[in-house]
Amino acid sequence: MKLADLQKIAEHEVDFQRAYKHRINVCCSSGCVPFGALKVLKAFEDAVKEFSVEKDCKVAKTGCVGTCSVGPAVIIEPGDYLYQSVTPERVRETVRDHIVLGLPVKDMLYHSEDFFKKQHRLVLRNAGKIDPSRIEDYIAMGGYSAIVKCLATMTPQGVIYEVTRSGLRGRGGAGFPTGQKWSLVARSHSTPKYIVANLDEGDPGVFANRTLAEADPHAILEGMLIAAYAVGAEKGYIYIRAEYPLAIQTLQKAIVQARAMTLLGDSVLETPFKFDLELRFGAGAFVAGEETAILASVEGRRAMPRPRPPYPANSGLWGKPTLIQNVETLANIPVIIQNGGEWFSKVGTTKCSGTKCFSLTGQINNPGLIEVPMGITLREVVFEIGGGIQNNRPFKAVLVGGPSGGCLPEALLDLPIDYDSLTKVGAIMGSGGIVVIDDQSCMVDTAKFFTDFCVEESCGKCVPCRAGLVKVQEIFNRITTGDGKVEDIAALDKAGNYIKEASLCGLGQTAPNPVLTTLRYFRDEYLEHIVDKKCRAGKCFRNLVKEEEVEDQ
Amino acid sequence: MPDPAKVRVATIWLSGCSGCHMSFLDQDEALIDLAQQIQLVYSPIVDIKVFPENVDVTLVEGAVANEDQQELLKFARVRTKILISLGDCAVTGNVTGLRNSLSNSPQATLTRAFIETADVNPQIPTDVPALLPKALPLHEVVKVDYYIPGCPPPAGLINWVIGRLMRGLPVNMEGRSKFG
Amino acid sequence: MSAGTVKLKIDNIEVNVPEGTMILEAARANGVVIPTLCDVEGLTAYGGCRMCMVEIHGSPKLFASCVTPVSTGMEIVTQSDKLKEYRKMALQFILSERSHICSVCVANNSCELQKLANELGVDHVQFEREWTSFPVDSTHDFLVLDRNRCILCTRCVRVCDEIEGVHTLDLKLRGKDEQVIVDLDDQWGESTSCTSCRKCAKVCPVGAIYVEGEALSETKDKNVAKFVLSRRNR
């Protein structure tokens, strides 16, 4: 297949899709399948036959639109009618009313108009719209045109220039400027060079990367292709957690299809550019998302971080220059190439361009996966997109950045979301987890929960993280069972800061964040636990209650 | 007779081997000087039954292993100005704490010690104070002001610390203290 | 100043060292002592114990001197109140995470952990101590592995792999449960790869690996890696 052939495929596919008046997109991602999405899909296929509209109506198995709490989600085009909690029993009625009679079934439509209003979908541009198992669907949406543009009209330096100009920063959490990273790898003389895509999303309650891989795998592949072209790599690895079977299956299929179309292989689109990639599976360790730990794991060793320098850009896989990027970063690349770096730099804020995917969870009305422009405020995310707190309860805190993020109080709700603002208040962008906490949660208990997680996930290499977190956990165990001392607050603060400053890798350096931010913003709750032996949310001292009950009997 | 010019010193022997007290006595002729300045108001080596009031310095040997010891230590703490952990058992748990690796259940510990490993006449002793689940270093039970680690702490170090404290000088253990 | 030489200041002493030198080496070469536990000359730096953290003028961060290369104009501080407090805290964390009982340990008086605690004035551990009961492997003819005394510095793992070249020792599990293992978690006495070279016992900073029946003061030799390498490269 040649460069020009791709255009023909796209045109052909667009014509093919236009032949249908309606398109029914049934979300069959990991979120919706447990709700019975596959049965719903089957029911739609049967129903369109029953009403003899199969020639007008294409039923597609797609990825996620983000409304994960009310699956299975179904979108009927044109008009983007989003149906929630669709059951196979109501499919017949939906096809009859919506497709045949032209009357959308109102009581099944998604409950909130605000959920999508302030979102800006670049990374998730195709999520829920295309069938991820068909490369043609992706091509019809303009997919792979960016790599064609690169190969036909741009030099590798030109590609790096555009990426640099876009202002894109790494979406894995640390926010290193992507263009700068690419030039470091490109400038490195040693060969071969490697690309590693990080899809080891280990944070509890975070599912943005999984959704992306399940909904639009080719966007990741195209991003890797462009990056490979720019830095001069011939081999890539996608490091994905083994706990994501559907994403693995989707990616494997995508790779086979891309190879068949010569988008991967010894001669990409019959040009001299050579690139191929493989999947590598992680065995479920949080620390394996750390870049140097990934390198060790891809090489077949224990996923443990190592000190930097040397940075992977100079000495990565097998000591060779290696570009490691989060898949979300990579999925941005085709859009940047298609529209130009300058266009991208205007999305978001001047310091922090583009968008960010967040997994919005907790005590909120519209949980799900969202993509918002950088600079949006937490208030907009929680109260507009998220639709506010469940059952109109009072807002208490929002945890930004996953298990090693920071718990921010109401006073900080107008904080714009970008790397620097979040770091300033003790939180991090991290993997993009936002957990909304209402007054029924105890902040001490919340901090303890995430400390427990980090204790469990510490790799054991460095002392602060391995041994220090255990001591922090012990102090929490004391405070939440009634044995807390006033000195414990100072001890937590000291140990927390030590672990933050002295740990070897990002896991340890951020692990105390929930502790330090709750100490900073919710100190009164700690004092209540220690002095009054009281937990206003009723989460702690459960052991004591039990003892009293036993005595009563 | 109470002598107002002398510093009132007490020593307590909890769960330890008495080696720390031996080391205290090992100060040899320095004890003669010390005796000019201190009055020993409570100690396993003097015959006073109740821990007195207004003690200036209390040196405690041994870990806190049973309820009686816990009570005595707390009692001593409120009647003492300066409380010192003397020796590794008091500072870390040390040999007394070895049982903590075995079990946190006093019953299981006693069974192991007096039944399973007994050569003759296996029986768990009665009429003795109840064991705590774990043998604890002093500072996990009460506030401790100074620590003199060592198994036993060298006599010279004990003398040095007491001397510094009586002269109101700061006690910096850097390069002086040693576990074990 | 010759090409490839870097000029910097360590504790206000001006020093010149070759490019690529780590701060720790540069300090040592100029008589500045930085406390360490996992470092052994001749083995790959591990960066695990965090004892060797130093401050670099102009940066709010701390740097592990064993893995941070020097650069021109650096002003390094190896002793400060904060560093001392952090080092003492690290020692307390290590002392509290497993049952370190000096009085009954073979390494008593030949132990780097004990010595550092003494030097830095760690006279007690403010945190609750763990009383672990990890398995002790004494199946080897004369080498013993007591995991309760291990500080997970991996000196033994590295010397076994990098100097002896057999990689008998490695780690299993993670976090506080992490343990040194023999082969694929077998008994040491049944190991088919171990050459019984004793290098692990020589570099062990504590009493976790030792030679049965021999005085530790005789069997410890931290310089074994450097020595072997110097012969090999002669």
Side-chain angles (χ1 to χ4, degrees):
Chain A
M1 195 174 84
K2 290 191 173 146
L3 295 174
D5 296 339
L6 204 73
Q7 186 63 28
K8 281 181 210 150
I9 294 173
E11 281 162 14
H12 179 263
E13 181 64 24
V14 169
D15 288 345
F16 170 72
Q17 289 186 7
R18 278 206 191 120
Y20 294 101
K21 274 190 206 143
H22 296 280
R23 187 174 158 103
I24 301 172
N25 292 330
V26 182
C27 170
C28 293
S29 65
S30 293
C32 285
V33 169
F35 284 117
L38 295 175
K39 281 188 192 138
V40 171
L41 179 74
K42 177 79 175 39
F44 269 109
E45 284 166 353
D46 293 345
V48 293
K49 276 184 202 138
E50 190 192 325
F51 291 103
S52 308
V53 287
E54 69 260 44
K55 288 214 175 85
D56 288 344
C57 200
K58 165 95 181 151
V59 179
K61 183 180 174 183
T62 66
C64 176
V65 287
T67 56
C68 304
S69 62
V70 288
V74 175
I75 295 177
I76 299 185
E77 293 174 4
D80 281 341
Y81 288 92
L82 172 59
Y83 287 98
Q84 66 178 11
S85 308
V86 181
T87 55
E89 292 74 32
R90 296 200 66 183
V91 165
R92 207 179 154 270
E93 167 195 355
T94 311
V95 172
R96 185 192 64 204
D97 290 6
H98 192 134
I99 308 286
V100 182
L101 302 174
L103 301 166
V105 190
K106 278 191 181 144
D107 71 306
M108 282 168 73
L109 288 173
Y110 185 61
H111 63 272
S112 166
E113 284 178 10
D114 293 334
F115 185 72
F116 292 100
K117 251 184 205 166
K118 291 212 165 165
Q119 290 201 47
H120 189 133
R121 298 199 156 213
L122 294 179
V123 171
L124 301 172
R125 56 194 178 274
N126 297 325
K129 291 186 181 154
I130 64 166
D131 180 348
S133 67
R134 294 185 73 240
I135 191 170
E136 295 84 0
D137 267 35
Y138 180 68
I139 295 173
M141 302 296 275
Y144 288 113
S145 64
I147 183 65
V148 168
K149 186 176 173 186
C150 290
L151 292 173
T153 64
M154 295 169 84
T155 61
Q157 294 78 8
V159 174
I160 294 177
Y161 175 76
E162 285 302 327
V163 173
T164 308
R165 203 161 69 149
S166 75
L168 178 66
R169 292 166 69 173
R171 298 292 189 246
F176 191 80
T178 306
Q180 202 179 326
K181 206 186 228 182
W182 288 23
S183 19
L184 284 174
V185 180
R187 257 188 268 140
S188 201
H189 292 299
S190 178
T191 52
K193 294 177 184 175
Y194 298 98
I195 291 195
V196 177
N198 184 355
L199 218 164
D200 188 84
E201 200 174 30
D203 299 26
V206 174
F207 42 90
N209 294 349
R210 184 189 73 195
T211 299
L212 174 64
E214 286 175 3
D216 198 8
H218 289 285
I220 299 172
L221 264 50
E222 190 178 4
M224 287 181 83
L225 269 164
I226 297 168
Y229 175 71
V231 303
E234 293 183 350
K235 176 91 196 181
Y237 296 92
I238 300 178
Y239 188 76
I240 181 167
R241 30 190 344 225
E243 292 90 335
Y244 282 178
L246 185 58
I248 290 173
Q249 209 186 324
T250 314
L251 280 166
Q252 273 166 339
K253 215 173 203 171
I255 292 171
V256 170
Q257 290 169 349
R259 278 200 194 120
M261 286 200 174
T262 72
L263 286 158
L264 292 173
D266 285 343
S267 169
V268 173
L269 294 169
E270 295 180 34
T271 65
F273 172 53
K274 175 182 168 184
F275 183 72
D276 207 346
L277 57 84
E278 275 179 48
L279 297 186
R280 280 281 195 276
F281 308 127
F286 182 54
V287 72
E290 199 278 340
E291 64 175 19
T292 56
I294 290 184
L295 296 180
S297 186
V298 170
E299 289 178 11
R301 294 183 286 118
R302 240 173 105 87
M304 272 168 111
R306 63 159 175 78
R308 294 169 299 182
Y311 288 90
N314 295 318
S315 174
L317 282 178
W318 299 285
K320 298 294 176 185
T322 303
L323 178 71
I324 304 189
Q325 300 270 220
N326 180 273
V327 289
E328 190 183 330
T329 319
L330 289 165
N332 271 304
I333 301 297
V335 188
I336 292 173
I337 297 301
Q338 279 162 358
N339 302 301
E342 201 185 326
W343 171 86
F344 187 87
S345 70
K346 286 177 183 147
V347 183
T349 66
T350 38
K351 263 190 169 174
C352 204
S353 59
T355 60
K356 177 78 186 101
C357 298
F358 286 103
S359 311
L360 186 58
T361 56
Q363 309 304 319
I364 197 162
N365 281 320
N366 310 332
L369 180 69
I370 61 168
E371 184 179 351
V372 290
M374 293 283 187
I376 194 169
T377 65
L378 280 169
R379 192 182 294 281
E380 287 170 293
V381 169
V382 175
F383 287 96
E384 295 185 31
I385 296 173
I389 313 297
Q390 277 175 12
N391 306 320
N392 281 324
R393 295 198 70 93
F395 168 92
K396 188 180 216 172
V398 54
L399 178 87
V400 187
S404 42
C407 288
L408 307 178
E410 187 152 20
L412 290 173
L413 271 180
D414 291 310
L415 187 85
I417 298 181
D418 61 66
Y419 295 97
D420 309 308
S421 310
L422 287 176
T423 311
K424 233 177 259 166
V425 295
I428 53 168
M429 189 73 86
S431 52
I434 295 187
V435 184
V436 179
I437 296 165
D438 70 9
D439 66 335
Q440 294 179 94
S441 291
C442 162
M443 298 317 291
V444 179
D445 185 57
T446 305
K448 177 180 176 292
F449 175 84
F450 289 113
T451 304
D452 291 349
F453 176 82
C454 290
V455 165
E456 203 58 45
E457 293 297 335
S458 167
C459 81
K461 182 164 182 171
C462 74
V463 170
C465 176
R466 178 187 75 224
L469 285 173
V470 174
K471 298 299 133 191
V472 169
Q473 185 185 36
E474 260 170 30
I475 297 176
F476 271 115
N477 287 341
R478 275 213 309 274
I479 295 179
T480 54
T481 52
D483 292 330
K485 296 175 273 184
V486 179
E487 303 91 85
D488 284 340
I489 292 186
L492 280 178
D493 205 43
K494 240 183 193 177
N497 277 309
Y498 166 68
I499 296 165
K500 189 174 178 155
E501 289 186 60
S503 290
L504 193 157
C505 82
L507 194 161
Q509 286 160 8
T510 56
N513 280 345
V515 181
L516 294 173
T517 49
T518 48
L519 276 173
R520 187 161 149 193
Y521 302 120
F522 301 94
R523 190 172 283 251
D524 49 337
E525 286 196 33
Y526 280 84
L527 282 168
E528 248 172 48
H529 280 73
I530 292 168
V531 180
D532 310 332
K533 314 285 176 211
K534 198 184 110 199
C535 174
R536 60 175 89 169
K539 297 278 176 195
C540 307
F541 309 117
R542 282 191 182 153
N543 58 329
L544 301 183
V545 174
K546 264 184 213 152
E547 273 168 29
E548 275 165 25
E549 279 167 8
V550 173
E551 275 167 24
D552 288 349
Q553 284 163 5
Chain B
M1 279 296 290
D3 182 345
K6 286 187 173 177
V7 177
R8 290 164 61 82
V9 174
T11 75
I12 296 179
W13 179 17
L14 304 181
S15 281
C17 67
S18 87
C20 302
H21 272 87
M22 295 301 133
S23 203
F24 182 84
L25 296 175
D26 259 352
Q27 291 178 70
D28 299 337
E29 69 273 17
L31 280 175
I32 299 167
D33 294 336
L34 200 62
Q36 310 293 319
Q37 302 165 57
I38 70 164
Q39 187 178 9
L40 201 56
V41 293
Y42 181 87
S43 172
I45 56 173
V46 298
D47 193 20
I48 296 167
K49 304 294 183 214
V50 180
F51 194 92
E53 304 262 4
N54 295 324
V55 178
D56 294 308
V57 178
T58 301
L59 294 149
V60 187
E61 168 188 348
V64 190
N66 66 39
E67 285 174 358
D68 277 17
Q69 291 172 348
Q70 184 173 267
E71 203 178 312
L72 171 60
L73 181 64
K74 285 180 175 168
F75 189 72
R77 174 69 265 191
V78 291
R79 294 173 160 217
T80 304
K81 289 199 192 86
I82 296 174
L83 189 114
I84 303 176
S85 273
L86 181 67
D88 274 359
C89 292
V91 175
T92 73
N94 199 28
V95 176
T96 316
L98 283 172
R99 73 159 158 107
N100 300 348
S101 308
L102 206 62
S103 155
N104 282 346
S105 141
Q107 196 54 35
T109 306
L110 290 169
T111 307
R112 177 77 187 145
F114 289 97
I115 309 284
E116 290 168 17
T117 55
D119 291 330
V120 288
N121 196 15
Q123 59 171 338
I124 291 175
T126 50
D127 298 334
V128 288
L131 280 189
L132 296 175
K134 275 185 179 181
L136 303 170
L138 306 189
H139 61 275
E140 285 185 27
V141 180
V142 295
K143 182 176 170 289
V144 172
D145 302 299
Y146 295 95
Y147 302 83
I148 312 179
C151 188
L157 185 63
I158 300 174
N159 186 265
W160 181 80
V161 172
I162 295 175
R164 299 279 294 183
L165 288 176
M166 285 197 305
R167 277 173 285 153
L169 297 170
V171 176
N172 179 355
M173 297 299 265
E174 256 170 64
R176 290 197 174 80
S177 66
K178 182 182 82 70
F179 296 114
Chain C
M1 204 167 79
S2 67
T5 302
V6 173
K7 191 170 158 184
L8 68 153
K9 271 186 180 170
I10 302 178
D11 290 344
N12 275 324
I13 306 166
E14 207 157 273
V15 304
N16 292 297
V17 290
E19 213 175 326
T21 310
M22 296 299 159
I23 294 174
L24 179 64
E25 280 173 79
R28 260 188 204 143
N30 289 280
V32 177
V33 179
I34 299 174
T36 58
L37 274 175
C38 65
D39 173 77
V40 162
E41 275 182 82
L43 299 183
T44 313
Y46 189 60
C49 73
R50 315 312 273 175
M51 290 302 296
C52 71
M53 303 297 280
V54 295
E55 292 169 12
I56 297 177
H57 190 77
S59 169
K61 290 204 292 182
L62 300 178
F63 298 83
S65 60
C66 64
V67 290
T68 309
V70 293
S71 61
T72 304
M74 262 184 183
E75 287 180 35
I76 294 157
V77 178
T78 72
Q79 306 290 339
S80 71
D81 289 348
K82 181 178 175 181
L83 287 173
K84 186 190 254 176
E85 194 194 320
Y86 276 12
R87 284 171 188 156
K88 283 173 91 163
M89 205 178 309
L91 282 177
Q92 292 188 51
F93 283 149
I94 297 172
L95 285 166
S96 67
E97 71 172 331
R98 292 193 181 182
S99 326
H100 293 287
I101 307 170
C102 302
S103 57
V104 293
C105 178
V106 283
N108 194 4
N109 294 330
S110 320
C111 172
E112 291 179 41
L113 178 62
Q114 184 186 33
K115 188 162 164 268
L116 267 185
N118 170 18
E119 285 169 3
L120 291 175
V122 175
D123 55 10
H124 74 292
V125 176
Q126 69 176 98
F127 308 103
E128 241 172 85
R129 290 172 78 103
E130 300 290 329
W131 296 89
T132 52
S133 42
F134 289 111
V136 177
D137 186 341
S138 56
T139 56
H140 188 277
D141 287 344
F142 52 84
L143 290 166
V144 183
L145 168 59
D146 184 346
R147 297 173 172 95
N148 299 295
R149 294 172 182 161
C150 178
I151 62 167
L152 298 166
C153 67
T154 71
R155 282 184 185 182
C156 55
V157 175
R158 284 175 286 151
V159 83
C160 186
D161 176 35
E162 296 170 18
I163 304 296
E164 183 63 6
V166 291
H167 204 132
T168 298
L169 301 174
D170 209 324
L171 299 169
K172 77 164 178 183
L173 300 178
R174 63 178 182 232
K176 62 183 195 302
D177 304 318
E178 192 170 52
Q179 290 163 53
V180 169
I181 52 164
V182 177
D183 288 345
L184 295 171
D185 203 7
D186 298 326
Q187 295 289 311
W188 207 339
E190 283 148 30
S191 170
T192 48
S193 65
C194 177
T195 59
S196 303
C197 75
R198 303 175 178 222
K199 288 191 188 71
C200 47
K202 286 183 178 169
V203 296
C204 182
V206 290
I209 297 184
Y210 59 93
V211 182
E212 216 166 12
E214 285 183 31
L216 241 86
S217 49
E218 302 295 314
T219 54
K220 290 265 184 237
D221 179 12
K222 201 179 155 182
N223 291 320
V224 63
K226 200 170 70 173
F227 173 76
V228 172
L229 287 178
S230 72
R231 294 284 147 151
R232 203 178 278 167
N233 300 331
R234 206 160 43 161

